[in-house]
């Protein structure tokens, strides 16, 4: 079922189904390690702001040696060279634990994305870039969606991240919360360097290892990045066309439905069964029979009505409600956060001149790390499995909150706010 596949998507750019696309051109292999000068220091764009302790350095080195023994193979010497002299970066760990998509309320996150300046800049970019029509026609992904991703990921290429991708991924692997994923991405980042696809000093990106104007993870760069401008290189850092063509190719391979929308705002009737939200996949006829109506009237196309869709309540029963179509979940192949996908979709709609949501977002102060961890520990203690205690308010935590609310006769909308957290903490004694 599609919901099962949705729930296992990664928190950052997730890997798409196996396929065999054209890979970026391979430059001549770099000089073997033994013929190089002494290792370069970590790129100057990433000064150390928090020194690792001797114990951390020792543990990091032990992890590095284990990684090379397990994953290095014939590349062990070259990869050891690239990893030599690295220490953990505390900034990476801190940011991993405080991702805004999961810490801020949906309304706050989305409002920050949908600024008037960003909407107008996106419209201007679309209007001045006729090449986007070709990308849209080739891949079937609306140019407004691609520009919305471009805006959200790098402010139209202006802020791409200046952190050493290899050090960032090595830090995440050593820290261990997502070790298997991080080690896999590190293998791909090291491959990019060892095969000469990009120089180590220029392999920079975000704290999570996302790179370029549309923030591709290393695995997706190797498999899905495209030479959109036809110059023989795949440059998602410097070429607007390459960056957006690559993003379009990723979404197309993730299952983007041509000529279908991503979601529609809806109203829910009195007495609606909120336990169905965020999980039940049903065709439009199912929801319509239960009194769900499209805001502003109208109807779905025949193709959209034939799909299964989910009702989403990003801010609970008191905020806007959405009928999420399959393309919403394709957007989440970029970032598996509901707030992120909603921000991209609504920003694209705004660029296309569609009206914003009709129902105001409630005031939602951000949740602290302590609150998020305490909620998950409390739910677990009360017998409601949040899917792990990681401080990330994702689908597993919302499902557990919904079960907790239903058992107490509350509106089971899965909405997490201070009131719910305080009640769970009080009951669980955490």
């Amino acid at each position: 079922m599609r919901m099962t596949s949705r729930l296992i998507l990664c928190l950052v750019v997730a890997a798409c189904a196996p396929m065999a696309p054209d890979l970026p051109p391979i430059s001549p292999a770099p000089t073997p390690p033994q013929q190089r000068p002494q290792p370069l220091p970590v790129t100057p764009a990433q000064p150390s702001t928090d020194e690792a302790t001797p114990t951390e350095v020792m543990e990091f080195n032990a992890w590095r040696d284990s990684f090379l023994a397990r994953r290095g193979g014939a590349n062990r010497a070259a990869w050891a060279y690239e990893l030599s002299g690295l220490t953990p970066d505390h900034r990476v760990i801190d940011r991993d634990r405080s991702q805004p998509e999961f810490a801020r309320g949906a309304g706050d996150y989305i409002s920050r994305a949908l600024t008037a300046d960003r909407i107008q800049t996106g419209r201007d970019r679309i209007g001045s870039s006729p090449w986007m029509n070709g990308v849209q026609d080739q891949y079937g992904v609306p140019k407004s969606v691609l520009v919305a991703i471009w805006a959200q990921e790098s402010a139209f290429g202006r802020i791409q991240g200046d952190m050493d991708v290899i050090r960032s991924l090595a830090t995440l692997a050593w820290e261990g919360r997502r070790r298997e994923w991080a080690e896999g991405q590190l293998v791909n980042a090291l491959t990019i360097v060892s095969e000469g696809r990009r120089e180590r000093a220029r392999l920079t990106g975000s704290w999570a290892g996302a790179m370029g104007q549309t923030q591709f993870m290393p695995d997706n760069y190797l498999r899905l990045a495209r030479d959109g401008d036809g110059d023989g290189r795949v440059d998602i850092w410097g070429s607007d066309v390459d960056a957006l063509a690559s993003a379009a190719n990723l979404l197309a391979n993730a299952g983007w439905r041509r000529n279908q929308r991503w979601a529609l705002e809806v109203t829910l009737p009195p007495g609606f069964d909120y336990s169905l939200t965020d999980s039940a996949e049903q065709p439009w006829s199912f929801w319509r029979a239960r009194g769900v109506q499209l805001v502003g009237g109208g109807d779905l196309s025949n193709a959209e009505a034939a799909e299964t869709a989910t009702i989403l309540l990003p801010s609970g029963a008191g905020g806007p409600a959405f009928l999420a179509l399959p393309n919403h979940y394709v957007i989440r192949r970029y970032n598996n956060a509901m707030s992120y996908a909603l921000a991209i979709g609504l920003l694209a709609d705004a660029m296309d001149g569609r009206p914003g949501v009709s129902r105001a977002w409630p005031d939602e102060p951000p949740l602290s790390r302590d609150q998020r961890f305490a909620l998950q520990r409390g739910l677990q203690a009360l017998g409601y499995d949040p899917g792990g205690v990681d401080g990330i308010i994702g689908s597993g935590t919302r499902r557990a909150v919904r079960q907790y609310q239903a058992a107490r006769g509350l509106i089971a909308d899965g909405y997490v706010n201070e009131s719910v957290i305080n009640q769970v903490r009080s009951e669980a004694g955490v």
Side-chain angles (χ1 to χ4, degrees):
M1 294 179 67
R2 189 169 67 246
M3 180 54 66
T4 300
S5 63
R6 290 173 183 167
L7 295 177
I8 62 173
L9 299 178
C10 294
L11 298 179
V12 287
V13 180
C16 296
M19 57 200 72
D22 297 331
L23 293 176
I26 300 175
S27 303
T31 306
Q34 64 269 22
Q35 299 177 17
R36 292 182 177 178
Q38 291 300 307
L40 295 171
V42 174
T43 173
Q46 178 163 301
S48 177
T49 58
D50 192 358
E51 293 290 337
T53 67
T55 298
E56 288 174 332
V57 172
M58 180 178 66
E59 292 173 348
F60 182 86
N61 290 342
W63 162 81
R64 178 199 61 202
D65 294 343
S66 172
F67 167 78
L68 291 169
R70 289 180 287 107
R71 309 292 292 267
N75 298 304
R76 183 168 180 171
W79 291 1
Y81 173 82
E82 301 298 347
L83 293 171
S84 63
L86 292 186
T87 58
D89 189 337
H90 288 189
R91 296 172 300 167
V92 170
I93 298 171
D94 290 343
R95 295 180 190 183
D96 183 44
R97 294 172 178 171
S98 60
Q99 298 177 55
E101 298 90 337
F102 299 98
R104 291 183 196 152
D108 179 47
Y109 181 87
I110 292 168
S111 297
R112 291 170 184 259
L114 270 68
T115 64
D117 178 69
R118 179 173 285 185
I119 293 167
Q120 187 57 53
T121 299
R123 289 173 176 166
D124 292 343
R125 293 297 181 98
I126 292 172
S128 63
S129 306
W131 54 265
M132 289 186 191
N133 294 324
V135 173
Q136 177 178 266
D137 292 343
Q138 180 177 355
Y139 296 101
V141 182
K143 52 192 174 183
S144 58
V145 170
L146 299 174
V147 173
I149 290 173
W150 193 21
Q152 187 70 3
E153 294 291 347
S154 69
F156 307 100
R158 293 195 302 271
I159 306 172
Q160 300 184 32
D162 60 1
M163 300 179 78
D164 176 7
V165 166
I166 288 177
R167 185 186 181 197
S168 294
L169 291 170
T171 298
L172 290 171
W174 161 76
E175 188 266 345
R177 185 175 74 83
R178 293 182 287 160
R179 176 163 292 171
E180 183 177 356
W181 170 84
E183 285 190 352
Q185 293 294 346
L186 179 58
V187 165
N188 287 297
L190 290 165
T191 298
I192 290 170
V193 172
S194 63
E195 291 186 349
R197 298 174 190 266
R198 191 166 179 87
E199 302 89 337
R200 167 65 185 282
R202 299 173 64 210
L203 194 72
T204 54
S206 74
W207 63 267
M211 311 178 300
Q213 297 193 47
T214 44
Q215 294 289 276
F216 262 43
M217 293 304 296
D219 65 330
N220 282 330
Y221 173 80
L222 289 173
R223 297 187 303 109
L224 298 170
R226 288 292 178 267
D227 175 16
D229 57 19
D231 67 353
R233 299 180 303 114
V234 177
D235 182 10
I236 60 174
W237 293 266
S239 169
D240 298 354
V241 187
D242 287 7
L244 268 66
S246 297
N249 187 49
L250 186 155
L251 295 175
N253 279 282
W256 186 271
R257 271 71 160 170
R258 285 178 180 258
N259 303 316
Q260 292 188 29
R261 289 165 288 186
W262 63 279
L264 294 162
E265 189 185 4
V266 294
T267 58
L268 307 180
F272 182 78
D273 182 0
Y274 287 96
S275 68
L276 296 173
T277 62
D278 199 29
S279 58
E281 289 186 326
Q282 297 291 343
W284 172 231
S285 58
F286 174 92
W287 298 115
R288 186 170 52 192
R290 282 154 181 77
V292 178
Q293 297 181 351
L294 301 181
V295 171
D299 207 347
L300 274 64
S301 69
N302 290 337
E304 291 168 340
E307 301 281 2
T308 57
T310 307
I311 300 295
L312 299 180
L313 297 173
S315 294
F322 297 89
L323 181 75
L325 296 165
N327 284 338
H328 165 84
Y329 292 95
V330 174
I331 295 173
R332 283 167 73 161
R333 297 302 289 262
Y334 243 96
N335 183 316
N336 190 32
M338 185 196 305
S339 295
Y340 176 87
L342 290 170
I344 296 301
L346 290 170
L347 181 56
D349 284 353
M351 291 177 188
D352 287 335
R354 297 191 180 96
V357 296
S358 64
R359 192 169 187 178
W361 297 99
D363 183 27
E364 303 170 291
L367 302 176
S368 70
R369 182 171 179 268
D370 174 70
Q371 287 176 311
R372 289 179 276 127
F373 272 92
L375 171 67
Q376 292 174 327
R377 287 195 298 267
L379 289 168
Q380 203 170 63
L382 294 171
Y384 303 99
D385 181 16
V389 179
D390 57 7
I392 293 176
I393 306 300
S395 58
T397 301
R398 291 194 300 271
R399 181 175 58 252
V401 169
R402 192 177 299 111
Q403 294 168 350
Y404 168 86
Q405 291 168 325
R408 283 150 183 79
L410 305 172
I411 294 177
D413 57 7
Y415 181 46
V416 176
N417 58 14
E418 288 190 9
S419 176
V420 169
I421 292 174
N422 291 340
Q423 184 171 338
V424 169
R425 294 184 76 165
S426 176
E427 285 190 38
V430 296

